[in-house]
Amino acid sequence: GAPVSVQADVPCYLRDSLGVGQTLSGPAIIAEQIATTWLAPGWRASLDHGGNLRLRKEQFRERARFVYS
């Protein structure tokens, strides 16, 4: 199929300005001098103590529904 183009405002972060343990939720862009990371919706990123950017898919839990009669 034909490519799809979507325009949307997305937060952009400088990786050098992230603090250890800081968590970002997608969608977002994380920019640095030699790379750019696209953080897709449904994903989270955090910076660990070694300076590594850890990406993980969010786990959605269905909330229990209570029915009162």
Side-chain angles (χ1 to χ4, degrees), residues 15-38:
R15 183 172 173 168
D16 290 344
S17 68
L18 299 178
V20 172
Q22 182 176 355
T23 300
L24 305 175
S25 293
I29 295 171
I30 304 167
E32 57 185 301
Q33 189 173 10
I34 60 170
T36 301
T37 302
W38 164 245

mmCIF file of all heavy atoms in Angstrom, residues 15-38:
data_model
loop_
_atom_site.group_PDB
_atom_site.id
_atom_site.type_symbol
_atom_site.label_atom_id
_atom_site.label_comp_id
_atom_site.label_asym_id
_atom_site.label_seq_id
_atom_site.Cartn_x
_atom_site.Cartn_y
_atom_site.Cartn_z
ATOM 1 N N ARG A 15 18.788 13.847 25.324
ATOM 2 C CA ARG A 15 19.207 12.746 26.195
ATOM 3 C C ARG A 15 20.139 13.222 27.296
ATOM 4 O O ARG A 15 20.069 12.753 28.431
ATOM 5 C CB ARG A 15 19.862 11.651 25.366
ATOM 6 C CG ARG A 15 20.247 10.454 26.209
ATOM 7 C CD ARG A 15 20.700 9.308 25.375
ATOM 8 N NE ARG A 15 21.213 8.244 26.222
ATOM 9 C CZ ARG A 15 21.466 7.048 25.812
ATOM 10 N NH1 ARG A 15 21.253 6.733 24.553
ATOM 11 N NH2 ARG A 15 21.929 6.135 26.626
ATOM 12 N N ASP A 16 21.023 14.166 26.979
ATOM 13 C CA ASP A 16 21.967 14.679 27.982
ATOM 14 C C ASP A 16 21.272 15.363 29.151
ATOM 15 O O ASP A 16 21.864 15.526 30.218
ATOM 16 C CB ASP A 16 22.947 15.658 27.344
ATOM 17 C CG ASP A 16 23.938 14.978 26.418
ATOM 18 O OD1 ASP A 16 24.080 13.737 26.485
ATOM 19 O OD2 ASP A 16 24.570 15.680 25.615
ATOM 20 N N SER A 17 20.024 15.782 28.964
ATOM 21 C CA SER A 17 19.311 16.475 30.037
ATOM 22 C C SER A 17 18.462 15.529 30.890
ATOM 23 O O SER A 17 17.860 15.964 31.869
ATOM 24 C CB SER A 17 18.430 17.585 29.464
ATOM 25 O OG SER A 17 17.366 17.033 28.720
ATOM 26 N N LEU A 18 18.416 14.242 30.532
ATOM 27 C CA LEU A 18 17.633 13.279 31.310
ATOM 28 C C LEU A 18 18.380 12.901 32.576
ATOM 29 O O LEU A 18 19.602 12.741 32.575
ATOM 30 C CB LEU A 18 17.355 12.021 30.491
ATOM 31 C CG LEU A 18 16.559 12.201 29.204
ATOM 32 C CD1 LEU A 18 16.410 10.867 28.491
ATOM 33 C CD2 LEU A 18 15.204 12.816 29.476
ATOM 34 N N GLY A 19 17.638 12.759 33.659
ATOM 35 C CA GLY A 19 18.223 12.346 34.927
ATOM 36 C C GLY A 19 18.076 10.856 35.145
ATOM 37 O O GLY A 19 17.177 10.217 34.595
ATOM 38 N N VAL A 20 18.959 10.281 35.943
ATOM 39 C CA VAL A 20 18.892 8.854 36.261
ATOM 40 C C VAL A 20 17.537 8.547 36.877
ATOM 41 O O VAL A 20 17.074 9.252 37.776
ATOM 42 C CB VAL A 20 20.030 8.453 37.226
ATOM 43 C CG1 VAL A 20 19.853 7.024 37.709
ATOM 44 C CG2 VAL A 20 21.375 8.630 36.551
ATOM 45 N N GLY A 21 16.885 7.533 36.341
ATOM 46 C CA GLY A 21 15.580 7.124 36.850
ATOM 47 C C GLY A 21 14.417 7.881 36.248
ATOM 48 O O GLY A 21 13.261 7.504 36.465
ATOM 49 N N GLN A 22 14.684 8.939 35.504
ATOM 50 C CA GLN A 22 13.597 9.682 34.865
ATOM 51 C C GLN A 22 12.927 8.786 33.833
ATOM 52 O O GLN A 22 13.585 8.100 33.069
ATOM 53 C CB GLN A 22 14.133 10.940 34.198
ATOM 54 C CG GLN A 22 13.057 11.795 33.560
ATOM 55 C CD GLN A 22 13.615 13.095 32.996
ATOM 56 O OE1 GLN A 22 14.789 13.420 33.154
ATOM 57 N NE2 GLN A 22 12.766 13.835 32.333
ATOM 58 N N THR A 23 11.598 8.785 33.827
ATOM 59 C CA THR A 23 10.842 7.941 32.907
ATOM 60 C C THR A 23 10.040 8.802 31.953
ATOM 61 O O THR A 23 9.401 9.767 32.361
ATOM 62 C CB THR A 23 9.891 7.007 33.688
ATOM 63 O OG1 THR A 23 10.674 6.194 34.562
ATOM 64 C CG2 THR A 23 9.105 6.122 32.758
ATOM 65 N N LEU A 24 10.107 8.452 30.675
ATOM 66 C CA LEU A 24 9.339 9.126 29.632
ATOM 67 C C LEU A 24 8.360 8.133 29.033
ATOM 68 O O LEU A 24 8.671 6.951 28.905
ATOM 69 C CB LEU A 24 10.266 9.637 28.529
ATOM 70 C CG LEU A 24 11.420 10.537 28.948
ATOM 71 C CD1 LEU A 24 12.305 10.841 27.744
ATOM 72 C CD2 LEU A 24 10.899 11.813 29.560
ATOM 73 N N SER A 25 7.201 8.622 28.628
ATOM 74 C CA SER A 25 6.213 7.790 27.954
ATOM 75 C C SER A 25 6.061 8.248 26.515
ATOM 76 O O SER A 25 6.058 9.448 26.240
ATOM 77 C CB SER A 25 4.854 7.880 28.656
ATOM 78 O OG SER A 25 4.934 7.297 29.933
ATOM 79 N N GLY A 26 5.931 7.271 25.622
ATOM 80 C CA GLY A 26 5.745 7.595 24.213
ATOM 81 C C GLY A 26 4.341 8.053 23.928
ATOM 82 O O GLY A 26 3.431 7.795 24.708
ATOM 83 N N PRO A 27 4.148 8.805 22.889
ATOM 84 C CA PRO A 27 5.145 9.102 21.867
ATOM 85 C C PRO A 27 6.073 10.225 22.305
ATOM 86 O O PRO A 27 5.665 11.168 22.965
ATOM 87 C CB PRO A 27 4.297 9.520 20.662
ATOM 88 C CG PRO A 27 3.071 10.131 21.256
ATOM 89 C CD PRO A 27 2.825 9.353 22.522
ATOM 90 N N ALA A 28 7.340 10.077 21.938
ATOM 91 C CA ALA A 28 8.347 11.100 22.234
ATOM 92 C C ALA A 28 9.563 10.862 21.353
ATOM 93 O O ALA A 28 9.748 9.771 20.816
ATOM 94 C CB ALA A 28 8.756 11.052 23.707
ATOM 95 N N ILE A 29 10.373 11.890 21.235
ATOM 96 C CA ILE A 29 11.651 11.799 20.532
ATOM 97 C C ILE A 29 12.739 12.120 21.539
ATOM 98 O O ILE A 29 12.632 13.094 22.288
ATOM 99 C CB ILE A 29 11.700 12.785 19.349
ATOM 100 C CG1 ILE A 29 10.666 12.391 18.299
ATOM 101 C CG2 ILE A 29 13.100 12.844 18.754
ATOM 102 C CD1 ILE A 29 10.481 13.419 17.197
ATOM 103 N N ILE A 30 13.775 11.274 21.559
ATOM 104 C CA ILE A 30 14.924 11.512 22.431
ATOM 105 C C ILE A 30 16.116 11.738 21.513
ATOM 106 O O ILE A 30 16.529 10.832 20.783
ATOM 107 C CB ILE A 30 15.160 10.319 23.374
ATOM 108 C CG1 ILE A 30 13.884 10.033 24.173
ATOM 109 C CG2 ILE A 30 16.345 10.594 24.295
ATOM 110 C CD1 ILE A 30 13.886 8.709 24.903
ATOM 111 N N ALA A 31 16.647 12.956 21.531
ATOM 112 C CA ALA A 31 17.726 13.330 20.617
ATOM 113 C C ALA A 31 19.048 13.402 21.361
ATOM 114 O O ALA A 31 19.117 13.811 22.517
ATOM 115 C CB ALA A 31 17.422 14.678 19.979
ATOM 116 N N GLU A 32 20.106 12.986 20.663
ATOM 117 C CA GLU A 32 21.463 13.125 21.176
ATOM 118 C C GLU A 32 22.378 13.429 19.999
ATOM 119 O O GLU A 32 21.924 13.475 18.854
ATOM 120 C CB GLU A 32 21.892 11.874 21.930
ATOM 121 C CG GLU A 32 21.827 10.594 21.125
ATOM 122 C CD GLU A 32 22.141 9.376 21.968
ATOM 123 O OE1 GLU A 32 23.244 9.320 22.538
ATOM 124 O OE2 GLU A 32 21.283 8.496 22.053
ATOM 125 N N GLN A 33 23.643 13.628 20.263
ATOM 126 C CA GLN A 33 24.575 14.080 19.229
ATOM 127 C C GLN A 33 24.694 13.098 18.069
ATOM 128 O O GLN A 33 24.765 13.516 16.909
ATOM 129 C CB GLN A 33 25.946 14.325 19.841
ATOM 130 C CG GLN A 33 26.911 14.993 18.893
ATOM 131 C CD GLN A 33 28.205 15.374 19.587
ATOM 132 O OE1 GLN A 33 28.456 14.988 20.724
ATOM 133 N NE2 GLN A 33 29.021 16.136 18.915
ATOM 134 N N ILE A 34 24.672 11.797 18.341
ATOM 135 C CA ILE A 34 24.916 10.823 17.274
ATOM 136 C C ILE A 34 23.712 9.942 16.931
ATOM 137 O O ILE A 34 23.822 9.052 16.092
ATOM 138 C CB ILE A 34 26.120 9.924 17.607
ATOM 139 C CG1 ILE A 34 25.859 9.155 18.896
ATOM 140 C CG2 ILE A 34 27.390 10.741 17.693
ATOM 141 C CD1 ILE A 34 26.868 8.076 19.193
ATOM 142 N N ALA A 35 22.590 10.170 17.586
ATOM 143 C CA ALA A 35 21.421 9.314 17.332
ATOM 144 C C ALA A 35 20.134 10.014 17.738
ATOM 145 O O ALA A 35 20.147 10.979 18.498
ATOM 146 C CB ALA A 35 21.546 8.004 18.104
ATOM 147 N N THR A 36 19.047 9.499 17.221
ATOM 148 C CA THR A 36 17.709 9.938 17.612
ATOM 149 C C THR A 36 16.889 8.691 17.898
ATOM 150 O O THR A 36 16.906 7.738 17.124
ATOM 151 C CB THR A 36 17.036 10.754 16.492
ATOM 152 O OG1 THR A 36 17.863 11.885 16.197
ATOM 153 C CG2 THR A 36 15.658 11.225 16.898
ATOM 154 N N THR A 37 16.199 8.682 19.031
ATOM 155 C CA THR A 37 15.380 7.538 19.411
ATOM 156 C C THR A 37 13.916 7.931 19.328
ATOM 157 O O THR A 37 13.504 8.933 19.916
ATOM 158 C CB THR A 37 15.706 7.076 20.847
ATOM 159 O OG1 THR A 37 17.094 6.742 20.922
ATOM 160 C CG2 THR A 37 14.869 5.877 21.258
ATOM 161 N N TRP A 38 13.133 7.134 18.583
ATOM 162 C CA TRP A 38 11.690 7.313 18.508
ATOM 163 C C TRP A 38 11.076 6.417 19.569
ATOM 164 O O TRP A 38 11.271 5.192 19.564
ATOM 165 C CB TRP A 38 11.165 6.939 17.121
ATOM 166 C CG TRP A 38 9.688 6.739 17.071
ATOM 167 C CD1 TRP A 38 9.037 5.566 16.805
ATOM 168 C CD2 TRP A 38 8.665 7.726 17.281
ATOM 169 N NE1 TRP A 38 7.676 5.766 16.835
ATOM 170 C CE2 TRP A 38 7.426 7.085 17.137
ATOM 171 C CE3 TRP A 38 8.686 9.078 17.597
ATOM 172 C CZ2 TRP A 38 6.207 7.745 17.279
ATOM 173 C CZ3 TRP A 38 7.481 9.736 17.748
ATOM 174 C CH2 TRP A 38 6.265 9.078 17.588
#
